[in-house]
Amino acid sequence: MTQVSLTPLTVADADEMVDVLSGDDLYAFIGGSAPTLDGLRARYTRQVAGRSPDGQEEWHNWIIRREADGQAVGYVQATITEQGRRAEIAWVVGVGWQRRGYATEATQAMIARLFARDVDRVVAHIHPGNAASAAVAARAGLTPTDRFDDGERLWERARG
């Protein structure tokens, strides 16, 4: 049963997402703090451009919405590099909507989209203490590697 859909990010999503991203517990493993509305609008303005200023990265961002009522519950994102062959992915679900399968379903859907457009490999950076994100990664078919970047373990999955 489909619980969520992915909708392309717009700047207007900031109005709803500022509440979704407001829980301090959300930042325990990813760092930072809850964004302000103005800060989130500025971030979304940069992200909807779809590319880094130098053109080397392609940016894809989607809002995770519950199918039942359209409520935003989080987001997934992919930064595509290496001429479209590699994607670094991430997911965030607001504290009030966690542990319902939303992150797993959204991450699986995002990976399917990336592989359909011929991305060869997806990579996620996960803090070793973040058991919830490790579980999402595993359910989405990623496996942990022996590599670490900035204290986070790299998980990956190849298309195939």
Side-chain angles (χ1 to χ4, degrees):
M1 176 176 149
T2 301
Q3 296 187 90
V4 299
S5 60
L6 302 182
T7 60
L9 177 72
T10 68
V11 175
D13 290 320
D15 294 340
E16 187 175 11
M17 288 299 293
V18 73
D19 290 332
V20 174
L21 301 176
S22 65
D24 288 337
D25 291 347
L26 202 53
Y27 303 92
F29 295 110
I30 61 175
S33 59
T36 64
L37 180 56
D38 287 342
L40 198 55
R41 284 179 180 152
R43 180 189 323 164
Y44 287 0
T45 297
R46 289 188 303 275
Q47 290 176 330
V48 299
R51 290 201 172 274
S52 61
D54 65 7
Q56 297 299 306
E57 296 177 346
E58 194 177 320
W59 299 334
H60 295 271
N61 296 274
W62 296 274
I63 300 298
I64 305 168
R65 294 192 175 277
R66 285 193 306 214
E67 276 290 322
D69 61 7
Q71 166 72 49
V73 299
Y75 67 86
V76 291
Q77 62 185 32
T79 300
I80 301 174
T81 59
E82 298 178 13
Q83 291 78 46
R85 293 188 309 271
R86 181 177 190 268
E88 292 200 12
I89 63 171
W91 53 89
V92 174
V93 170
V95 173
W97 297 276
Q98 292 178 357
R99 304 200 185 298
R100 298 179 191 181
Y102 299 151
T104 297
E105 185 179 331
T107 300
Q108 290 170 338
M110 173 179 55
I111 290 171
R113 289 179 185 197
L114 294 168
F115 286 165
R117 67 176 314 270
D118 293 330
V119 167
D120 292 325
R121 184 167 53 112
V122 295
V123 177
H125 300 247
I126 300 174
H127 187 282
N130 192 340
S133 279
V136 169
R139 286 191 294 270
L142 283 81
T143 55
T145 69
D146 293 332
R147 297 186 317 273
F148 285 80
D149 182 18
D150 224 5
E152 295 181 318
R153 180 181 297 275
L154 273 64
W155 289 62
E156 64 184 11
R157 177 179 167 188
R159 181 169 50 111

